[in-house]
Amino acid sequence: MLKTAASRYLRPNKAYLRAFHARRAVQQVRSDWARSAVFASATASATAILVWCVSNNIIHNDVAAPPSFPQLGPGETEVLGSNINSTGIDENGSLQGVAWGSNKSHIINPTEPKVDVVQYPTNVSWLENVALRDLALHERHAACVDARGDVYQWGDGFFSSVSTFKPEARRPKPTLIGKDIVKVRVTESKVYALSTSGKMYVFAANEELQKPKAPSQHRGSLWWGLDWLWGGHTNIDFVELFPREKLKWRERFTYITAGRDHVLALTSAGRVFSHPVNKNANSHGQLGLRKVDLPAPSSSAGDGSSGRMTVELNPKAITDPYAKASQFSRIRVSNGPAENLDTIDDETIRFCGSLFEIPALKGIKVSQIAAGSRSTYVNTDAGRVLGWGANEFGQLGLGSGIVLDAVTIPTEVILTRNLPLDVKSKCLGIWAGGDLTFFMAERTSSDPSRHIDVLSCGNGQWGGLGANLYTTSQANPVRVKNVSGLLEYDERTRSLAPIVPETISVSPTGHALLTLDTLSRAGPGFTGRDLLVWGLNYDFQLGTGKRKSLPAPTILNRPEGGRLLLARKTTTVKDMAGNVWRKKVGVEQRAIAGYGNSLVYWSIIGS
């Protein structure tokens, strides 16, 4: 009875439940409708904003992306205006240089001492209306030859006593004047210059060490005291270098190049001479010889004596071939007359006043020479390459079967590896810098078409090989991407013709600049040659505005849009002193890779 009464009171009211569930359903529908309305409203608003942005910001598919300015490192400063110009010509039509990369030693822009780095290609006014014969960059100093053949120098390594924040005092200063110089090369402590007549000179890279000596101490230059007769007096201390082997009738030096510690010279007859810069000139056999003739210590000091002695500069690979195989210190091996060599000061420009013909190349006619930091390369008239010197990174290109760290004998570099037997190869050019080497090879076979390949070997740790690889050692020359095997249609011959790389500038620190000859067969309206960059980019030396290294050649774009093209034109040229040299001179832009930086300057065509 109790159970029946309790169940009657606890039983739910069906009418009440139906009303309750009806109210919940209506509330749920209203909530879902509200959320849908909010979502639809938000979608409509976003669509309207997107349509407005697109209609007011037209994007063309052939326009380069706007440059992004990355964060500079601590202590780095840069001045970039809103109107960047990187054409090498200002708004008034005046010639200017174009620079990018590190400016910590005030090399690429000496008149802006507060600018430590330039991220993008930018005009520099210190080369206004100036066209040069040659230019060479080192880590802390630089040198150039103006249109009159005078040598100018600048950089922190040259101005050792000038305040950093005096722009005018940091401008290039004339040093070797009146010698009609055409080529200049720089090492850490010395500068080498070649004149039109084939004479070679050496002088100090530091201004303090260029103070002139007494005339009796200029034994290397016979006409030092008579320069005033033709207005060519130079007020610095210099030495003229002479070959130890006599040159033939009308034979003269036509080209020079320099590694870290050695200098090479090529004569008009195809003979190759080498010169030691200091005691380390033959550390890896790169000199091509061992015995050199040096002034005796007393005569090099400048006391007027003329004693000479012969010493042997033995490569380290010969004096101690197992140096890397043992952790124990070894007995010092005699380097010829060690007591005499230790008393010689190799920092002076009178350390060696001679050029020595490389014995292994006698009777071989050479058409081109190149020097890495510690290696040497020659290209014969037949297009065969010989190399010797340092080989730790495979920079000689002798193949993976050669595991020697140093090769002291000129050895042929085979450029036909991994090619069919019917393909013939001829080397057209060699470029070297640091531990990187590049060869330009012409490929011919039964097929009438002609192909040009660019090959590389050496240290590609930062992508300097250009083969889309990051490797510390590459002994087999590999094809450089994006510049090998390029063809274009030639309207004159009505056939395909190769696009030939014009020149390559290789930095000792690991980046490269390649000028591609896209102008010779271009149609009307085309103004210049493409510049491709790759390799190390820590100091913005590739001009991309980023620090990312590039493992393959990439066309360099201007920060204001479009490709950076190296132009040619005819204009009035001034010397470095600001005086007009000549009118209607043919000039062209040339790119050079320095130590963590790059520079494009106007050069006189044919110089």
Side-chain angles (χ1 to χ4, degrees), residues 380-577:
T380 68
D381 261 6
R384 302 174 69 176
V385 180
L386 301 175
W388 66 96
N391 193 45
E392 304 103 320
F393 306 100
Q395 59 263 47
L396 294 182
L398 301 179
S400 57
I402 306 297
V403 295
L404 299 174
D405 287 345
V407 177
T408 60
I409 300 174
T411 306
E412 184 173 2
V413 181
I414 306 300
L415 301 179
T416 55
R417 288 189 177 91
N418 304 323
L419 292 178
L421 296 177
D422 62 336
V423 177
K424 297 181 180 179
S425 181
K426 179 181 179 181
C427 183
L428 302 180
I430 311 173
W431 297 272
D435 297 319
L436 277 171
T437 313
F438 295 89
F439 309 97
M440 184 170 65
E442 179 186 28
R443 312 292 200 186
T444 56
S445 62
S446 56
D447 185 359
S449 62
R450 176 171 166 257
H451 298 272
I452 301 295
D453 284 344
V454 179
L455 309 175
S456 63
C457 57
N459 186 0
Q461 181 178 358
W462 300 282
L465 292 171
N468 210 18
L469 299 171
Y470 291 98
T471 176
T472 56
S473 178
Q474 182 63 46
N476 288 316
V478 294
R479 295 179 78 228
V480 178
K481 302 289 185 181
N482 303 335
V483 294
S484 297
L486 298 181
L487 298 173
E488 64 180 351
Y489 183 75
D490 189 354
E491 295 182 352
R492 290 173 294 183
T493 61
R494 296 184 179 181
S495 61
L496 292 176
I499 303 178
V500 182
E502 188 173 289
T503 185
I504 304 175
S505 180
V506 189
S507 168
T509 55
H511 77 283
L513 309 177
L514 183 144
T515 303
L516 199 61
D517 185 13
T518 52
L519 184 61
S520 59
R521 285 187 290 268
F526 200 74
T527 59
R529 299 150 294 155
D530 282 295
L531 182 64
L532 291 90
V533 299
W534 70 93
L536 181 65
N537 196 27
Y538 180 77
D539 292 309
F540 302 98
Q541 55 261 52
L542 297 186
T544 60
K546 301 178 181 179
R547 279 196 164 101
K548 181 182 179 181
S549 300
L550 299 176
T554 304
I555 293 179
L556 181 60
N557 292 317
R558 297 163 51 194
E560 61 269 33
R563 306 200 309 266
L564 193 150
L565 298 176
L566 303 182
R568 289 177 181 169
K569 63 178 303 184
T570 302
T571 186
T572 300
V573 171
K574 294 182 179 180
D575 58 17
M576 289 292 291

Side-chain angles (χ1 to χ4, degrees), residues 25 96 141 149 159 299 327 401 464 519:
Q96 290 192 339
H141 66 94
F159 294 112
S299 62
Q327 299 180 356
L519 184 61

Side-chain angles (χ1 to χ4, degrees), residues 57 75 92 95 120 187 206 232 238 246 292 303 308 367 424 451 454 479 520 534 536 596:
N57 294 275
N92 299 322
L95 303 181
Y120 297 93
T187 63
N206 185 276
F238 67 93
K246 189 176 181 180
V292 294
D303 61 354
R308 305 191 68 85
S367 60
K424 297 181 180 179
H451 298 272
V454 179
R479 295 179 78 228
S520 59
W534 70 93
L536 181 65

Side-chain angles (χ1 to χ4, degrees), residues 129-394:
N129 283 329
V130 172
L132 305 175
R133 294 186 180 184
D134 198 14
L135 185 144
L137 305 178
H138 206 268
E139 186 175 9
R140 300 192 70 250
H141 66 94
C144 71
V145 185
D146 71 353
R148 298 188 187 276
D150 297 333
V151 178
Y152 284 72
Q153 294 177 253
W154 68 96
D156 290 353
F158 175 72
F159 294 112
S160 57
S161 60
V162 180
S163 173
T164 306
F165 299 102
K166 294 181 179 180
E168 294 301 322
R170 289 285 175 179
R171 283 188 172 274
K173 180 179 179 181
T175 52
L176 190 65
I177 304 174
K179 299 299 181 181
D180 197 14
I181 303 300
V182 291
K183 296 292 180 184
V184 64
R185 293 294 180 266
V186 293
T187 63
E188 184 178 1
S189 59
K190 301 173 186 177
V191 180
Y192 293 83
L194 175 67
S195 69
T196 305
S197 60
K199 295 182 179 180
M200 282 188 61
Y201 304 95
V202 57
F203 47 98
N206 185 276
E207 183 183 24
E208 292 295 324
L209 301 177
Q210 291 182 352
K211 295 179 180 179
K213 309 292 182 182
S216 61
Q217 297 184 17
H218 288 266
R219 295 181 305 278
S221 180
L222 181 62
W223 302 100
W224 179 86
L226 302 178
D227 284 343
W228 60 273
L229 291 177
W230 49 82
H233 177 68
T234 181
N235 197 30
I236 68 167
D237 184 24
F238 67 93
V239 171
E240 182 179 347
L241 303 180
F242 294 95
R244 297 299 294 173
E245 291 77 9
K246 189 176 181 180
L247 299 182
K248 299 177 182 178
W249 174 250
R250 291 188 176 180
E251 183 182 9
R252 60 185 179 87
F253 291 107
T254 58
Y255 188 81
I256 60 173
T257 186
R260 189 176 65 185
D261 304 307
H262 72 298
V263 173
L264 301 174
L266 180 66
T267 71
S268 56
R271 299 165 64 187
V272 182
F273 288 74
S274 61
H275 167 82
V277 176
N278 50 42
K279 299 175 186 178
N280 294 323
N282 206 35
S283 61
H284 292 76
Q286 65 267 37
L287 205 59
L289 48 91
R290 297 186 194 177
K291 292 185 178 181
V292 294
D293 186 24
L294 302 178
S298 57
S299 62
S300 62
D303 61 354
S305 60
S306 57
R308 305 191 68 85
M309 64 179 185
T310 301
V311 300
E312 288 191 13
L313 300 177
N314 291 319
K316 296 178 180 179
I318 294 178
T319 57
D320 196 0
Y322 303 104
K324 296 184 178 180
S326 174
Q327 299 180 356
F328 297 96
S329 60
R330 295 176 176 271
I331 299 176
R332 182 178 181 272
V333 180
S334 176
N335 190 9
E339 65 281 357
N340 293 335
L341 200 59
D342 290 341
T343 57
I344 295 178
D345 180 16
D346 60 353
E347 294 295 328
T348 176
I349 59 176
R350 292 173 177 80
F351 166 69
C352 180
S354 303
L355 293 156
F356 306 92
E357 186 176 7
I358 298 177
L361 299 181
K362 289 184 178 181
I364 300 177
K365 190 173 183 180
V366 174
S367 60
Q368 184 189 5
I369 56 176
S373 289
R374 300 159 299 144
S375 53
T376 302
Y377 310 87
V378 298
N379 187 17
T380 68
D381 261 6
R384 302 174 69 176
V385 180
L386 301 175
W388 66 96
N391 193 45
E392 304 103 320
F393 306 100

